[in-house]
Amino acid sequence: MINLFKVKEKRKELAENANGRPPVKKQSAGELRLHKDISELNLPKTCGISFPNGKDDLMNFEVTIRPDEGYYMGGTFLFSFQISPIYPHEAPKVKCKTKVYHPNIDLEGNVCLNILREDWKPVLSINTIIYGLFHLFTEPNHEDPLNHDAAAVLRDNPKLFESNVRRAMAGGYVGQTFFPRCV
Amino acid sequence: MVSIEPSRSRDLDKLLLRPGNIVAPTFEAGAQLREDIKEYVRILVVGAGGLGCELLKDLALSGFRNLEVIDMDRIEVTNLNRQFLFRHEDVGNPKADVAAKRVMERVSGVDIIPHFCRIEDKPLDFYNDFNIIVLGLDSIEARSYINSVACGFLEYDADDNPRQETIKPMVDGGTEGFKGHARVIVPGVTPCFECTIWLFPPQVKFPLCTLAETPRTAAHCIEYAHLIKWNEVHSGKAFDPDNPDHMQWVYSEAVKRAELFGIPGVTYSLTQGVVKNIIPAIASTNAIISAACALETLKMVSGCSKTLSNYLTYNGVEGLHTKVTEFVKDKDCLVCGPGVLLELDTSITLKKFIDLLEDHPKLLIAKASITYRGKNLYMQAPPVLEEMTRSNLDITLFELMDKIPEDTIHATGLAGKGETKQSSLRKLRVVFKGLDGVTDVDMAGGA
Ligand SMILES: [Zn+2]
């Protein structure tokens, strides 16, 4: 090994005299895997995706969901995705940017979806997550509450829950909380 | 004063000055070897924490003279029990600076250059300057980054054999409480960090609804304060785990939460541990792992004995167990693998290139999307990106690759024939034909 190092020293001297390559960007393994996920996206018409930082930054993007059935039909909900350089070893960080009256999404945009935390597996993909989010709107679940009040209303009085959702989406108060219009 | 030189290298001399029969084929015993190690070998230690302090000391005492250390952290009071190069008066100072200074004070002749910055802040050339990179890190992200940098220097010849002079070996140590590992990574020869990333168990993540509704442990209370309460109170302000004020806030909120639910056990150090995903460090585990790493570094450099092949685990939880496992490379690894060699004309357009991937016998990738060093040259989906990249299809690949004669590019798409098609992501080594300074490569599949 040591002889190799001496050779390297010489090589380095030579290289320093020549014109080096321009500095290049490193693409992490996470970025490459994400590139694959994104290029294979197969979204339903109810879901859209956009890249605020342009076509070369896939690590931060936004997903729009427009449910076509259920309590949230007609609403538009925006989610931000933040991907780690060690994706898919680590799940994406997903936040709901639209303030929503929902048992599994709190008022700060935290989302209770199992595959985003305890059940994330590297074989899952961005497509799986988007379908999971879509599913939250067609079948909100009072058993995994993040918005405690909304969950209780859904469990005890689905009619009232439905009218609360309508009121919130149209832009109005549910209890003390104001929800901006999202239809 | 009596010179300490002879006694200092006495034990090392037994390894370096005498021939042996379990040595590497390249081993040349003699004083010249000892002097060469002093003069030529340049080692970078990544991390100046629990492992880093041990590594610097061990390497300096193993005869290495040219060391550099990089770490972005400052010394905290809680480090002092095991990061033995630091004193109480050092709290608040950069770890790299203090560690370098202390080892230089104690070991005469050694030169250690500290770098107080993030590993990503250094240009790639910085890392290329070292013969061996020794890692004393506690995060997967940082390991993955250094691994990709070191493997990025690796070049393969036309027969897919790694070019010796481009190999940048790494020695990686890691500890968690009573457990630890030491491994030798020779890119292109032994598995890289990415080949075996599954060895690292994913971090335990509690469901948010459990944190919000039914906390049962101290860690639940801490994660509630960290993930939910922080955002409620500091709307928009990002939590910074390295800011002691932020950590203190999370700690006091976690205490309130724990009192509310009658849960014992929330402490400041547990808060740090949970939020930063750190398991309490044990000084002796660091010492054992670091010693193994320093020895492997010496063996690799000198050839004085066979190196670890290639992954040592140490477990002192119940009794003491050590095991060496010889993991194998992932031949298709995107980071250290050779990729598929393609010799191309400079005139080939991106569209023709994509067609070629479909017909290439080793690839058979239909409808490929192409990415080159962070630039997405063409995306088949989603429609918004397809539209943005469509205009590249008629441009030559040579131009899109900034006229670099030889480089790596990645393609994803459906690979295989007929019913057995499956989604794949492949590394491609593109060489443009007929350019000065590029050796001709025997390869079918050109345009
Ligand atoms: Zn690899």
Side-chain angles (χ1 to χ4, degrees):
Chain A
M1 202 57 124
I2 197 99
N3 289 326
L4 207 54
F5 293 163
K6 288 194 211 169
V7 175
K8 276 187 188 174
E9 283 296 306
K10 287 218 183 72
R11 241 176 79 97
K12 211 175 74 197
E13 282 162 30
L14 290 174
E16 273 163 8
N17 294 329
N19 277 336
R21 272 190 191 180
V24 285
K25 204 194 147 200
K26 272 244 74 72
Q27 206 167 13
S28 67
E31 270 178 278
L32 291 171
R33 162 60 197 266
L34 180 67
H35 175 263
K36 175 171 178 287
D37 276 24
I38 297 288
S39 69
E40 289 171 353
L41 275 180
N42 183 10
L43 298 177
K45 281 201 186 70
T46 48
C47 299
I49 187 167
S50 68
F51 299 86
N53 306 331
K55 70 175 176 62
D56 293 334
D57 180 3
L58 305 183
M59 304 295 266
N60 298 281
F61 58 89
E62 291 176 343
V63 167
T64 318
I65 294 179
R66 293 186 192 82
D68 55 358
E69 56 171 280
Y71 295 114
Y72 296 91
M73 191 169 77
T76 300
F77 304 94
L78 183 69
F79 289 84
S80 67
F81 280 62
Q82 230 185 315
I83 315 294
S84 145
I86 55 164
Y87 177 78
H89 194 74
E90 196 173 288
K93 290 193 172 70
V94 177
K95 286 264 180 179
C96 183
K97 307 303 272 185
T98 309
K99 199 167 176 183
V100 57
Y101 178 79
H102 193 294
N104 314 114
I105 302 174
D106 73 14
L107 300 176
E108 307 307 318
N110 294 309
V111 182
C112 190
L113 180 63
N114 62 337
I115 54 170
L116 286 177
R117 294 188 60 82
E118 72 275 19
D119 291 333
W120 171 254
K121 303 271 182 309
V123 294
L124 301 178
S125 68
I126 301 297
N127 223 48
T128 338
I129 294 175
I130 297 178
Y131 273 87
L133 293 174
F134 182 74
H135 190 71
L136 277 185
F137 287 98
T138 53
E139 284 174 50
N141 167 10
H142 67 78
E143 281 167 9
D144 296 330
L146 263 188
N147 180 333
H148 187 87
D149 297 338
V153 175
L154 173 62
R155 184 187 60 221
D156 301 335
N157 190 346
K159 279 265 173 280
L160 178 61
F161 180 77
E162 184 173 1
S163 80
N164 282 352
V165 169
R166 288 283 129 200
R167 187 156 2 118
M169 293 202 320
Y173 280 90
V174 177
Q176 300 294 308
T177 311
F178 179 75
F179 293 87
R181 184 180 170 84
C182 70
V183 285
Chain B
M1 202 168 148
V2 183
S3 162
I4 57 163
E5 270 313 303
S7 67
R8 226 179 81 187
S9 63
R10 191 184 61 199
D11 294 333
L12 197 58
D13 287 352
K14 288 180 180 152
L15 290 174
L16 300 181
L17 306 189
R18 308 189 300 196
N21 45 26
I22 51 164
V23 299
T26 53
F27 181 64
E28 286 175 34
Q32 187 62 43
L33 178 59
R34 188 183 63 201
E35 298 313 305
D36 282 352
I37 288 176
K38 287 182 191 167
E39 185 172 346
Y40 288 104
V41 181
R42 298 169 41 73
I43 297 180
L44 175 66
V45 175
V46 187
L51 270 174
C53 281
E54 291 280 353
L55 286 168
L56 285 170
K57 174 259 290 173
D58 289 348
L59 291 167
L61 292 173
S62 301
F64 295 106
R65 288 288 178 90
N66 306 303
L67 303 173
E68 303 196 16
V69 57
I70 181 167
D71 194 305
M72 62 174 286
D73 285 339
R74 291 175 185 275
I75 297 162
E76 291 181 38
V77 174
T78 54
N79 302 148
L80 299 180
N81 73 324
R82 61 193 183 283
Q83 299 179 18
F84 61 93
L85 296 173
F86 308 144
R87 305 282 169 269
H88 207 276
E89 63 267 25
D90 300 324
V91 169
N93 289 327
K95 289 184 178 180
D97 295 359
V98 178
K101 185 174 133 235
R102 289 280 147 72
V103 173
M104 283 195 289
E105 280 166 6
R106 286 292 295 271
V107 186
S108 61
V110 66
D111 182 34
I112 307 180
I113 303 174
H115 303 272
F116 170 49
C117 63
R118 296 161 51 83
I119 51 178
E120 296 87 352
D121 292 343
K122 289 289 180 189
L124 300 183
D125 286 351
F126 169 79
Y127 293 100
N128 207 6
D129 230 20
F130 299 96
N131 305 112
I132 292 192
I133 301 177
V134 185
L135 310 182
L137 292 163
D138 60 8
S139 97
I140 299 178
E141 284 90 339
R143 281 198 184 85
S144 168
Y145 180 79
I146 297 286
N147 180 71
S148 74
V149 171
C151 293
F153 301 127
L154 181 65
E155 291 173 19
Y156 283 88
D157 66 18
D159 301 320
D160 285 356
N161 294 312
R163 290 200 170 112
Q164 279 289 322
E165 68 277 16
T166 64
I167 294 176
K168 181 79 59 196
M170 285 168 278
V171 178
D172 174 44
T175 68
E176 275 191 347
F178 283 106
K179 297 182 194 171
H181 77 260
R183 72 189 293 188
V184 170
I185 298 177
V186 183
V189 181
T190 69
C192 83
F193 180 74
E194 215 65 48
C195 288
T196 55
I197 194 168
W198 47 268
L199 281 167
F200 287 80
Q203 193 186 342
V204 179
K205 296 212 164 163
F206 309 116
L208 286 179
C209 31
T210 301
L211 304 181
E213 287 291 309
T214 51
R216 293 182 303 276
T217 66
H220 288 160
C221 299
I222 292 163
E223 282 292 72
Y224 172 81
H226 166 219
L227 295 172
I228 296 177
K229 192 74 185 176
W230 175 273
N231 289 324
E232 251 174 64
V233 175
H234 307 85
S235 60
K237 189 161 99 184
F239 173 79
D240 174 8
D242 295 318
N243 182 329
D245 295 339
H246 290 194
M247 196 61 83
Q248 186 62 43
W249 188 91
V250 166
Y251 165 62
S252 57
E253 286 299 319
V255 168
K256 282 186 215 163
R257 179 91 175 154
E259 278 168 6
L260 188 66
F261 286 87
I263 296 169
V266 174
T267 61
Y268 185 76
S269 66
L270 182 67
T271 306
Q272 278 186 311
V274 169
V275 170
K276 292 183 165 186
N277 191 29
I278 298 169
I279 290 171
I282 293 183
S284 299
T285 311
N286 283 339
I288 290 164
I289 293 301
S290 162
C293 290
L295 203 49
E296 289 311 310
T297 308
L298 179 66
K299 281 153 64 176
M300 195 156 18
V301 163
S302 65
C304 71
S305 183
K306 267 186 76 176
T307 53
L308 164 69
S309 181
N310 43 43
Y311 198 108
L312 166 85
T313 49
Y314 163 86
N315 188 337
V317 178
E318 284 179 40
L320 191 155
H321 304 271
T322 60
K323 186 170 189 255
V324 173
T325 312
E326 189 167 354
F327 286 109
V328 291
K329 269 190 310 178
D330 171 3
K331 66 176 176 26
D332 293 327
C333 177
L334 295 174
V335 178
C336 73
V340 174
L341 185 61
L342 297 173
E343 204 192 4
L344 302 172
D345 282 320
T346 52
S347 61
I348 188 171
T349 61
L350 181 59
K351 187 175 186 325
K352 286 236 171 70
F353 176 66
I354 290 172
D355 293 344
L356 179 147
L357 299 182
E358 184 159 5
D359 298 331
H360 192 287
K362 282 191 185 164
L363 295 168
L364 301 168
I365 298 179
K367 293 202 167 173
S369 298
I370 310 290
T371 182
Y372 172 63
R373 293 200 179 276
K375 285 192 299 181
N376 292 313
L377 302 185
Y378 186 67
M379 296 290 284
Q380 301 277 356
V384 53
L385 289 180
E386 196 281 331
E387 248 165 64
M388 278 195 252
T389 53
R390 197 184 298 155
S391 61
N392 281 343
L393 287 174
D394 296 324
I395 302 175
T396 63
L397 186 64
F398 187 52
E399 224 168 300
L400 292 168
M401 290 174 66
D402 304 319
K403 303 194 174 174
I404 292 176
E406 184 175 347
D407 212 346
T408 300
I409 190 167
H410 291 88
T412 68
L414 282 179
K417 278 183 179 158
E419 294 297 293
T420 58
K421 274 190 195 305
Q422 54 178 354
S423 128
S424 93
L425 164 54
R426 299 294 294 270
K427 178 174 177 177
L428 311 173
R429 252 154 75 216
V430 167
V431 177
F432 289 104
K433 283 190 278 196
L435 294 168
D436 283 343
V438 180
T439 42
D440 259 3
V441 190
D442 260 352
M443 184 65 212

